[in-house]
Amino acid sequence: MGILDFLFGNKSKKIQDFKSRDAIIVDVRSKGEYDGGAIPGSKNIPLQSISSNISQIKKWDKPVIVCCASGMRSASAAGILKNNGIEVMNGGGWFSLSKKL
């Protein structure tokens, strides 16, 4: 186990675990950013709209992987979802996440 795995956990393993359970990928960038390139099949719910979409996200009854451009907005979104009882992980930047999927 490398030092980064020890400190931050193995994100690739967690992504694979979430994927194996049909996780939904939510991209929290703006619509304009999302339209410029995104992970196929992901859903675009901008960060400022996450709180108002909690009930819809809960209805999916699946784990959620959030992503954005760098991982900052998705970290905020992950916190909001986790505080609302949704199993979530921060996938970080969408482009790097797409390579791990």
Side-chain angles (χ1 to χ4, degrees):
M1 176 183 286
I3 187 77
L4 292 177
D5 284 350
F6 178 74
L7 292 173
F8 302 109
N10 188 327
K11 189 182 265 190
S12 293
K13 275 188 184 167
K14 192 168 183 180
I15 290 168
Q16 293 312 314
D17 171 52
F18 270 50
K19 251 183 67 177
S20 73
R21 295 185 289 130
D22 296 325
I24 305 282
I25 298 167
V26 175
D27 191 318
V28 298
R29 296 176 297 151
S30 69
K31 180 169 175 14
E33 289 174 291
Y34 183 81
D35 289 347
I39 295 172
S42 64
K43 297 183 183 295
N44 180 222
I45 304 175
L47 176 59
Q48 61 271 26
S49 304
I50 282 288
S51 293
S52 60
N53 282 280
I54 295 292
S55 60
Q56 173 195 341
I57 295 168
K58 281 186 172 185
K59 285 179 190 169
W60 298 339
D61 198 26
K62 294 182 188 275
V64 174
I65 302 173
V66 287
C67 64
C68 62
S70 68
M72 295 298 289
R73 286 174 282 180
S74 55
S76 296
I80 293 166
L81 296 176
K82 188 173 188 172
N83 287 339
N84 282 278
I86 294 167
E87 185 180 10
V88 62
M89 74 167 286
N90 180 3
W94 76 272
F95 192 73
S96 114
L97 174 61
S98 70
K99 293 178 182 175
K100 294 176 183 143
L101 291 172

